[in-house]
C-alpha cells in the first residue's frame, strides 16, 4: 500500500503553482498576496489632530494654571477636510477637529474639555482660556507615524481580510495581486442517496458528503460548487463530469472507489487511463484515487462520510490551499492522551478527539467515538485529529501524540 506521505505528494503534484490575478481591493477578500505590497504614500499623510480641541504653541501655555489662566485669541477654525495651508501665529490658538491638518507653527493640541470652550458645533468663540501647560507634541498624529511611503504594507502570503482591505483603501490601493481562488466541483455517487427533505425508502440514506465536502472546500478558501449526486451508472456519471469539467479547476468525488461491485467512479474513470486508484495505509480512508479528467485534476474519495472528510483534511486541503498561495497547514500541537488507544499496525490512523487543559497546564486530548468511518456524530464533536503513526498499535493514557486542530 502507498503511505500517507506518498499519496500526499501525488495529490500535491496535481496542482499548479498559485496563479496571480489582479483584483479590485474589495474583491480580494479571502485571497493571499503573492508579493509584498508597498505603501504608495504615508499614513497619516500630514500632521493632524488626535483630538477635538485647540492647536497651540506649547510655550504660550508654559505658565498657565488655575490661579493664573492664559487666554488666547482664536484666529482660525479648522474642520477635518480643510485643504488650504494655515500657520499659527505665536500668542494665538486655532480651534481644530480630530483628523484636521495641524497648522504650521503649532506643536500641541489641547482637548476642548480642558478649556472653557463650549463643546459642540458652531463657530469658535473669539478667545479660549487654558488653566494648565501642555507638552509639545501632545495629541498630534505625526505624518508617517502609522506607515511611511515605500515601506511594506502587507508581506507576501497575507490573507486579505477586513483590516487588510481597510489599510489598502486608506493607502489608495485600488487593486492588488493575489492568488486566484480555485473553482472546485464536488460530486457524490450512489443509487442509495436521497436529497435531504425528501422521504426515504427502505435501504436509502440522505446524501451528506456533497454538502459536507463543499463546506470543507469553502472553509479552505476555494470556490466550492455542489453538483447533486448521480446514481450508480457509468454513462450518467461520465456525462455529469463532462458537464462540469469546463468550469472547474478541481473535481472531487465521493463514493464508488472500493473493491466491491457497482463501483461506478472506479469503473468509469479506469477506462480513461488518466486516473489511478490505490490503497493508502491509513484509517479511515484506505481506498483513494486521483488523476485528471479531460485535463482537470480529479480526486476520488471513499464514500463513508468520516473517510471522505478525513481524506479531504489529509490530502486535499493542504494542496488546495497551497495552490492558492494560502498557508496549507492546520495548527498542530503535542498533547497527552487522556485514555488508551489501539490502532492497526501498518496503517496511520486519524482518530477524532477533543482537547482539555489540566490544572498543571498540560494539554490533554481525549479520543472520542469508535474508529468506524460512519460515525458522523463524533466527527461533528471532534476538535482535533489524533495522528497515530503507522508503526504503532497501542498507546497508553499519558502518551504524547501529535494532534491537528480542526477548530
Amino acid at each position: 500500500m502507498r503511505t500517507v506521505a506518498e499519496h500526499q505528494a501525488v495529490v500535491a503534484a496535481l496542482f499548479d503553482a498559485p496563479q496571480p490575478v489582479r483584483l479590485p481591493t474589495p474583491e480580494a477578500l479571502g485571497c493571499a498576496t503573492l508579493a509584498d505590497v508597498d505603501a504608495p504614500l504615508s499614513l497619516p499623510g500630514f500632521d493632524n489632530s488626535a483630538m477635538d480641541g485647540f492647536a497651540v504653541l506649547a510655550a504660550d501655555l508654559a505658565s498657565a494654571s488655575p490661579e493664573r489662566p492664559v487666554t488666547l485669541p482664536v484666529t482660525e477654525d479648522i474642520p477635518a477636510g480643510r485643504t488650504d495651508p494655515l500657520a499659527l501665529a505665536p500668542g494665538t490658538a486655532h480651534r481644530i477637529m480630530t483628523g484636521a491638518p495641524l497648522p504650521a507653527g503649532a506643536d500641541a493640541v489641547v482637548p476642548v474639555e480642558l478649556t472653557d470652550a463650549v463643546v459642540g458645533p458652531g463657530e469658535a468663540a473669539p478667545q479660549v482660556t487654558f488653566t494648565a501647560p501642555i507638552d509639545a507634541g501632545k495629541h498630534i498624529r505625526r505624518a508617517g507615524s502609522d506607515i511611511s511611503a515605500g515601506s511594506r504594507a502587507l508581506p507576501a502570503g497575507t490573507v486579505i481580510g477586513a483590516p487588510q482591505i481597510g489599510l489598502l483603501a486608506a493607502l489608495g490601493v485600488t487593486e492588488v495581486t493575489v492568488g486566484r481562488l480555485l473553482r472546485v466541483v464536488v460530486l457524490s455517487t450512489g443509487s442509495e442517496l436521497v436529497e435531504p427533505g425528501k422521504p426515504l425508502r427502505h435501504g436509502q440514506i440522505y446524501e451528506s458528503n456533497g454538502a459536507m465536502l463543499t463546506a470543507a472546500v469553502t472553509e479552505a478558501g476555494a470556490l466550492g460548487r455542489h453538483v447533486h449526486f448521480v446514481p450508480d451508472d457509468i454513462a450518467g456519471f461520465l456525462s455529469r463530469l463532462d458537464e462540469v469539467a469546463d468550469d472547474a479547476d478541481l473535481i472531487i468525488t465521493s463514493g464508488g472507489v472500493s473493491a466491491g461491485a457497482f463501483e461506478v467512479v472506479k469503473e468509469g474513470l479506469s477506462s480513461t487511463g488518466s486516473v489511478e486508484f490505490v490503497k493508502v495505509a491509513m484509517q479511515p480512508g484506505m481506498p483513494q484515487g486521483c488523476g485528471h479528467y479531460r485535463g482537470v485534476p480529479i480526486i476520488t474519495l471513499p464514500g463513508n462520510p468520516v473517510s471522505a472528510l478525513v481524506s479531504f483534511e489529509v490530502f486535499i486541503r493542504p494542496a488546495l490551499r497551497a495552490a492558492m498561495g494560502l498557508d496549507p497547514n492546520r495548527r498542530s500541537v503535542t498533547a497527552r492522551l487522556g485514555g488508551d488507544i489501539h490502532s492497526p499496525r501498518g496503517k496511520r490512523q486519524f482518530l477524532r478527539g477533543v482537547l482539555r487543559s489540566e490544572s498543571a497546564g498540560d494539554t490533554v486530548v481525549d479520543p472520542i467515538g469508535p474508529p468506524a468511518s460512519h460515525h458522523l456524530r463524533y466527527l461533528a464533536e471532534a476538535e482535533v485529529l489524533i495522528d497515530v503513526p503507522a508503526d504503532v498499535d497501542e498507546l497508553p493514557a499519558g502518551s504524547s501524540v501529535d494532534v491537528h486542530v480542526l477548530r
Side-chain angles (χ1 to χ4, degrees):
M1 286 190 286
R2 181 179 285 172
T3 68
V4 169
E6 289 170 343
H7 195 62
Q8 285 173 326
V10 172
V11 170
L14 297 175
F15 294 85
D16 295 326
Q19 301 174 19
V21 61
R22 191 82 173 162
L23 292 180
T25 296
E27 295 179 18
L29 182 68
C31 299
T33 57
L34 295 186
D36 292 349
V37 179
D38 295 333
L41 49 82
S42 295
L43 292 179
F46 49 86
D47 292 349
N48 68 83
S49 176
M51 303 288 287
D52 293 336
F54 293 87
V56 298
L57 185 64
D60 288 337
L61 306 185
S63 63
S65 68
E67 295 76 21
R68 299 181 63 184
V70 173
T71 299
L72 300 177
V74 179
T75 56
E76 289 288 350
D77 208 12
I78 315 177
R82 185 167 177 176
T83 58
D84 54 321
L86 298 171
L88 177 75
T92 67
H94 290 179
R95 187 172 76 153
I96 192 168
M97 301 298 110
T98 302
L102 195 73
D107 63 4
V109 172
V110 180
V112 67
E113 297 91 338
L114 302 182
T115 72
D116 67 343
V118 176
V119 178
E123 295 185 4
Q127 61 184 30
V128 60
T129 298
F130 305 90
T131 58
I134 190 167
D135 295 332
K138 194 73 171 177
H139 303 307
I140 294 175
R141 300 167 178 161
R142 293 297 182 187
S145 58
D146 186 4
I147 189 170
S148 57
S151 63
R152 187 175 66 179
L154 297 176
T158 299
V159 179
I160 303 294
Q164 290 74 31
I165 287 177
L167 174 60
L168 295 173
L171 289 169
V173 177
T174 59
E175 292 184 336
V176 61
T177 300
V178 294
R180 184 174 70 86
L181 299 185
L182 300 187
R183 303 160 301 168
V184 181
V185 171
V186 178
L187 174 64
S188 300
T189 63
S191 296
E192 77 279 14
L193 303 179
V194 174
E195 184 178 351
K198 294 183 178 180
L200 290 175
R201 298 171 61 186
H202 180 69
Q204 294 181 326
I205 61 173
Y206 286 125
E207 198 276 333
S208 60
N209 282 0
M212 177 178 66
L213 291 171
T214 304
V217 165
T218 303
E219 285 183 343
L223 305 174
R225 179 160 67 97
H226 182 196
V227 176
H228 282 297
F229 50 89
V230 295
D232 289 326
D233 175 77
I234 293 177
F237 169 65
L238 295 178
S239 176
R240 185 62 59 89
L241 288 183
D242 289 335
E243 293 174 8
V244 303
D246 291 336
D247 193 33
D249 300 301
L250 171 66
I251 300 170
I252 300 173
T253 69
S254 67
V257 296
S258 296
F262 309 110
E263 302 296 342
V264 61
V265 173
K266 190 173 183 179
E267 293 179 33
L269 292 177
S270 293
S271 63
T272 68
S274 56
V275 178
E276 179 186 22
F277 293 90
V278 298
K279 292 181 179 180
V280 178
M282 66 181 288
Q283 188 185 56
M286 182 177 68
Q288 300 285 336
C290 65
H292 291 84
Y293 183 80
R294 288 179 46 189
V296 179
I298 184 169
I299 300 172
T300 66
L301 303 179
N304 280 319
V306 177
S307 297
L309 191 59
V310 170
S311 298
F312 179 90
E313 283 289 330
V314 174
F315 300 119
I316 300 178
R317 187 182 187 276
L320 178 63
R321 285 180 60 82
M324 298 184 292
L326 300 169
D327 182 356
N329 299 313
R330 290 281 196 189
R331 184 170 68 92
S332 294
V333 299
T334 300
R336 290 192 303 104
L337 279 173
D340 299 341
I341 61 173
H342 300 273
S343 182
R345 182 174 289 273
K347 290 185 178 181
R348 186 170 166 184
Q349 189 172 41
F350 296 90
L351 296 171
R352 280 73 75 200
V354 293
L355 295 177
R356 60 183 169 90
S357 295
E358 292 196 337
S359 56
D362 291 344
T363 299
V364 177
V365 59
D366 292 317
I368 57 171
S373 56
H374 66 283
H375 290 285
L376 265 175
R377 167 194 168 185
Y378 297 105
L379 182 64
E381 292 180 7
E383 298 172 339
V384 300
L385 291 178
I386 305 170
D387 193 344
V388 185
D391 59 352
V392 171
D393 54 11
E394 61 179 285
L395 287 172
S399 300
S400 292
V401 290
D402 293 330
V403 299
H404 308 294
V405 180
L406 302 177
R407 57 183 174 88

